[in-house]
Amino acid sequence: MSASKPTCPNYSSQHTVKNSSIHNQKPKYQCQNCKRQFVQNPTNKVISKDTIELIYRLLLEKIL
């Protein structure tokens, strides 16, 4: 049972090694060519425009 190694997003190289894991226990890999660290299947969470505006307002209130 041999799993194929993930490919580097920068170089498309399969010369990668497992390098720990992220907060939700997904394995993190590192490319041996460019030293970039990456997750094989990342999940991107979308932040709504309303939430972003709220964050900016709260940051401005704290700064001023």
Side-chain angles (χ1 to χ4, degrees):
M1 164 168 81
S2 66
S4 64
K5 288 187 173 184
T7 58
C8 175
N10 281 354
Y11 285 94
S12 299
S13 168
Q14 286 191 342
H15 195 102
T16 57
V17 292
K18 187 175 176 204
N19 187 27
S20 184
S21 60
I22 60 174
H23 65 281
N24 61 359
Q25 306 308 317
K26 278 188 160 183
K28 185 170 63 173
Y29 298 95
Q30 183 177 25
C31 176
Q32 295 295 67
N33 295 334
C34 66
K35 305 298 183 196
R36 178 180 176 180
Q37 295 181 10
F38 62 95
V39 177
Q40 191 168 6
N41 294 317
T43 55
N44 297 326
K45 292 187 178 180
V46 178
I47 301 173
S48 71
K49 207 168 199 172
D50 293 336
T51 305
I52 293 173
E53 289 175 7
L54 176 64
I55 292 170
Y56 284 141
R57 277 188 285 138
L58 292 173
L59 284 170
L60 280 174
E61 289 177 12
K62 178 70 176 171
I63 293 172
L64 300 177

